[in-house]
Amino acid sequence: SSSGGGGGGEKCCTPFNWLVHHSVLQTMALLLSLIAFVLAVVAVEIEQTPHFSRVHSQLGLTALLGSIFLPLLGVYAHHRYDSDRHRTPLFPDRIHALCAYTIFVIVAVVMVLGAHLYAPVASSTSTRYVLYCSLLFFVVVVVVVVIVVVLLHNILQQQQQKLVVVLVASFPLHHHHRLHHYHHYHHYH
């Protein structure tokens, strides 16, 4: 069965409706990233240092460009969604997820490089403290998000299994063979 996609079929209309929340949160993240990018370019211009001369800024630009490309790939995956599919396709769904995880790792590296780059020149100990606490906060948020996603995934799988049990119990005896074949096929494909 599929955990991705989420287009026009039943997967889109789960009680949690993850696609709407995912889209809104990712749009907000992209807007904040664009604002941060503009502020960084302005700061570099004021300091009169070369643009994109450091790994921090190069990776930051890479993450930003990826963050612009990623929603386009997500929209494409949404419109290509097939509720009758038996597996999540490599393209675009799994590539979309892989790109998202990659961008997430790049952003973490950018934050570490940024904290390492600017903490030594920070004017005070409190500024360095804020930089490192921000990085720690990011790591904690990542851990919490991963835990929540895993828990939600497990809860949704359990609810789906309970629904199958209820359906099996409510079908007349001659339909059990057909439903068993359907469940067996979708479980292993």
Side-chain angles (χ1 to χ4, degrees), residues 43-119:
V44 167
E45 191 65 35
I46 289 171
E47 293 172 359
Q48 297 181 350
T49 56
H51 289 277
F52 309 109
S53 61
R54 296 182 173 130
V55 175
H56 167 76
S57 55
Q58 294 164 354
L59 286 177
L61 178 61
T62 301
L64 181 67
L65 294 175
S67 297
I68 293 169
F69 167 74
L70 196 59
L72 300 175
L73 189 57
V75 168
Y76 181 70
H78 175 73
H79 289 291
R80 290 224 17 211
Y81 180 75
D82 177 10
S83 61
D84 294 328
R85 70 187 189 187
H86 303 294
R87 293 183 184 175
T88 304
L90 177 63
F91 183 82
D93 298 57
R94 291 184 189 228
I95 297 295
H96 174 73
L98 180 63
C99 288
Y101 296 135
T102 303
I103 291 168
F104 200 76
V105 169
I106 291 172
V107 167
V109 170
V110 167
M111 290 181 71
V112 169
L113 290 174
H116 201 54
L117 183 66
Y118 294 107

Side-chain angles (χ1 to χ4, degrees), residues 1 11 24 31 36 43 54-55 63 108 111 128 158-159 163 175:
S1 78
K11 296 284 184 190
V24 168
L31 291 174
R54 296 182 173 130
V55 175
M111 290 181 71
R128 286 193 293 275
Q158 289 172 356
Q159 293 301 324
L163 179 62
H175 290 289

